[in-house]
Structure formats: C-alpha cells, structure tokens
Amino acid sequence: MNALPGKIAAPAKATPGRGGSAKGAPLTVYGVTVTSRLMLGTAQYPSPQVLVDALTAADAGIITVSLRREAAREKGGQRFWDMISKLGRHLLPNTAGCRTPKEAITTARMARELFATDWIKLEVIANDDTLQPDLFGLVEAAEALVKDGFKVFPYTTEDLGAAERLLAAGCEVLMPWGAPIGTGRGLWNPYALRTFRNYFPGVPLVVDAGLGAPSHAAQAMELGFDAVLLNTAVAKAGDPVGMARAFAGAISAGRLAFESGLMEQRDMASPSTPVAGTPFFNLDSNG
Amino acid sequence: MHQGQRMAGHDRIAAEMAEIQRLVINGEAREVRSRTLAQLLDELGYGGLKVATALNGEFVAEKARAAQVLVPGDQIEVVAPRQGG
C-alpha cells in the first residue's frame, strides 16, 4: 500500500488479519491514531447534554466544530468552548458557509487560533441548493492553506481529477460526499465512490455528508472507506444517543467486513449446501 | 518650536481619542471611540472572551490586535467557537 494514486485495477482490499478486533484496525490520519472510524458533528442536538452523551456513545475520536459571529453579551460560544474543550476529543474545525477561497482561508486562520489546531475541514461551497463543493475554489484554498502549515481535510466530490489536485496540493486525506449535506440519502453514487476508493488505495478516505442511516455508513465502510463523517442523522434522530450507538455499531461491522474480505457477487444461484450426497438425487432422472 | 509641535501632537491624539468613528462590526454599523482592534474588543465587552478576529476579510492574530489601527469604514469580524458539522 502506498499513498500514490494508481490505475483502477483490483478492488480495494484490506490486509487479511486474524479475526480482527470488534471495531477493526485503528485509523491514522495526519499522524494521529484514533480507534473510532466515526467522525461526528456537534451541531443541531436538542441539548448540550445530549450532544455530550451522543459523542460518548459513538466513542467519536474526531469531532467537527465551527465558528460564528459572537455578540459580546451573548457568550454562547464561550459556553460551547468550555464544554467541548473538556471532552478530550480531536477537534476538526470547518469552514462551513464559505463561498470563496478567501473566505475559507480567513475562516481557517481564525479557527486555528480559536481551537489551537492546524486541522481544518475545508469547505468551499458552490451553491445553496446542493451545498456541493466548488472544486476550483477548493483546490485554490487547499494549496494556500497547506503552504500556511494547515493539515487540510477537503470536503470534495468523487471527481478524480480534483482529488489528484488536492493530493498534489499536500492534502493527506480526502473526504468525498455521500450525498448533499443534510439530505440523508446515503451513497447516491456507489459506483463512483467504489472507483474513488480503488483509484486511491493508500490515501485515507472519509465519506462526508449525506448519510441518513447506519446501513449507509456500513456500506461506505464495506467499500473500503477509512471513516465516515456525519452529523444530522444522529443529531436529528428521535434518540440521538441511541442513533450514535447504532452508527458506531454499523461502522464497526462494515469495517470488519471489509477487512475480512467480502465475497464476490454473482448473477446465478449457487447452492451453499453440498450437492454431493443429496438424498434422492439421481443423475439419470435429473438429466 | 519643537516642544510646541510635540504638544500639538498630544492634543491631536487626545482629540482623536474622543472622536467617534463608524465601523462595521459583524455586519452591523457601529459608532465607537477605539483606535485599535484591541481597544475595540474592550470597548464592546469582548475583553477576556475566546474570540478570533478579521479586518476587511483578513485574519488578525490576537497578538497583532494592539497594533492594528482602525479607520472609518473598516469591516471587523469577531467570531467564537460554535457547533459545526
């Protein structure tokens, strides 16, 4: 396994293990190793306590945060910081809402000072209806931020050309979307995501956005993605803590399945019970 | 002569300190007396709070705020940690 993109040849395969752990192997990104492959957003929870309980239930090692304008008398940001900084998780600030490379770069620099991390989830958004990444702006911003010392987690599409430009810019992880942010539609282009996985066999890949159900996350993990990042599906569930646990289980199962090697699909039936010795079986009468 | 010029300079600074200037803070027009970004944060009640700042679209680091002079029409962003996805 290496970090260089290659031709689309063999499907992604994990190294065969010895039964694996319940969660599968740990994930390393930008030199940091986490045991959970669920990256969880911190927005839209019914209360701060539910957020903390959901993060704990998911055992999320990496959590996303953001920054917003703050009125001095309001102090909501200060309360959020007091809570989040005690959780001992790796913080991944985002540039959500930024429309231009300049906005994203300035937001990233403000986030680096606020959260004391050089990690940035880079979003440069193209339009309101799909919230899809502006790939041209994304590459431009990634180049500038890597030069400025950031470790960039780019929110991108499954476009291979843009992905190669992001890697050339110095990104060491790629985060293609599953579906538009907040839609909960799951992997709306599994073929493209499978291609993406196989094209970059050694690059940490995270499916980010659009996941609505644990089965979507399991599917991403079975395809060989290294992690998933989600927020709304947990935060807006009837019971966010239960849903966090459900996603964690699905992600562990999907990863372990990938590491264990899924069977090849086939078009025609094939008996699982041995044919030899079947009672009443007679070659002549069946021929 | 030299002394007189210096006093005039002091007087001018004192007069400026009292002057109100119009800035745009977090998208809202405000009239303030501060001459630097650090003074502005104190004047608006952000002293001691965990915030980051930008001036006219460019990041201004915490340690650079005291030397960052403001002029009328400047656009300032003051942001704090917030939940995100």
Side-chain angles (χ1 to χ4, degrees):
Chain A
M1 302 277 275
N2 60 52
L4 295 174
K7 285 177 286 189
I8 303 164
K13 279 204 169 51
T15 310
R18 288 171 175 273
S21 68
K23 286 186 172 184
L27 166 68
T28 300
V29 58
Y30 284 116
V32 170
T33 299
V34 290
T35 54
S36 169
R37 291 171 179 271
L38 170 53
M39 302 183 183
L40 201 53
T42 56
Q44 306 183 83
Y45 291 81
S47 75
Q49 189 57 50
V50 171
L51 163 61
V52 171
D53 291 346
L55 294 176
T56 305
D59 189 29
I62 297 172
I63 61 176
T64 55
V65 292
S66 194
L67 51 79
R68 283 292 178 265
R69 287 169 168 172
E70 172 119 314
R73 63 189 173 280
E74 190 185 353
K75 298 191 174 63
Q78 314 305 311
R79 286 192 295 274
F80 176 65
W81 171 251
D82 289 344
M83 183 186 74
I84 216 78
S85 56
K86 288 176 192 148
L87 296 176
R89 318 276 165 169
H90 293 281
L91 300 181
L92 178 56
N94 69 27
T95 63
C98 291
R99 304 303 170 113
T100 65
K102 186 179 178 185
E103 286 175 13
I105 290 164
T106 299
T107 300
R109 288 174 177 155
M110 291 194 288
R112 178 163 60 181
E113 184 176 87
L114 268 186
F115 295 106
T117 177
D118 51 12
W119 283 14
I120 192 74
K121 178 187 165 186
L122 181 60
E123 297 183 33
V124 183
I125 297 300
N127 70 65
D128 286 336
D129 289 332
T130 63
L131 297 177
Q132 66 182 315
D134 166 12
L135 297 178
F136 302 96
L138 181 68
V139 169
E140 184 184 331
E143 287 170 346
L145 289 171
V146 170
K147 280 182 190 147
D148 194 21
F150 282 90
K151 296 182 170 71
V152 177
F153 294 64
Y155 167 60
T156 185
T157 69
E158 58 282 270
D159 187 281
L160 297 178
E164 288 190 309
R165 293 282 303 273
L166 291 166
L167 293 175
C171 297
E172 294 182 15
V173 57
L174 298 170
M175 304 209 297
W177 62 352
I181 295 168
T183 59
R185 302 183 71 87
L187 309 185
W188 71 345
N189 196 342
Y191 165 72
L193 287 169
R194 187 189 304 271
T195 303
F196 199 94
R197 173 69 281 180
N198 295 342
Y199 195 76
F200 300 108
V203 179
L205 301 181
V206 182
V207 171
D208 175 12
L211 303 184
S215 55
H216 301 154
Q219 186 188 8
M221 299 310 292
E222 288 169 3
L223 285 175
F225 282 85
D226 295 280
V228 299
L229 198 168
L230 56 102
N231 189 155
T232 310
V234 167
K236 291 296 193 186
D239 171 8
V241 179
M243 191 59 76
R245 199 168 285 127
F247 267 98
I251 289 161
S252 297
R255 177 64 193 182
L256 190 54
F258 170 70
E259 290 179 5
S260 303
L262 290 152
M263 66 168 280
E264 298 287 334
Q265 290 186 2
R266 50 179 139 205
D267 292 329
M268 300 300 289
S270 173
S272 50
T273 302
V275 174
T278 304
F280 320 117
F281 182 78
N282 187 317
L283 263 183
D284 292 339
S285 62
N286 283 281
Chain B
M1 185 62 181
H2 181 259
Q3 180 73 7
Q5 276 178 339
R6 198 160 65 89
M7 290 303 290
H10 276 217
D11 289 344
R12 185 172 52 79
I13 290 166
E16 280 178 358
M17 282 299 289
E19 256 174 49
I20 288 171
Q21 64 177 343
R22 202 173 169 82
L23 307 175
V24 179
I25 299 151
N26 285 347
E28 198 179 323
R30 298 283 295 267
E31 292 183 335
V32 299
R33 295 181 185 279
S34 300
R35 282 290 167 275
T36 69
L37 186 52
Q39 289 168 3
L40 178 72
L41 293 180
D42 280 340
E43 181 178 345
L44 297 178
Y46 289 103
L49 296 186
K50 189 168 188 65
V51 293
T53 51
L55 172 62
N56 299 325
E58 302 288 346
F59 170 61
V60 180
E62 184 176 5
K63 61 180 183 291
R65 289 177 197 155
Q68 182 61 61
V69 174
L70 302 175
V71 298
D74 273 348
Q75 304 207 16
I76 294 126
E77 297 288 336
V78 184
V79 299
R82 197 56 53 92
Q83 297 85 345

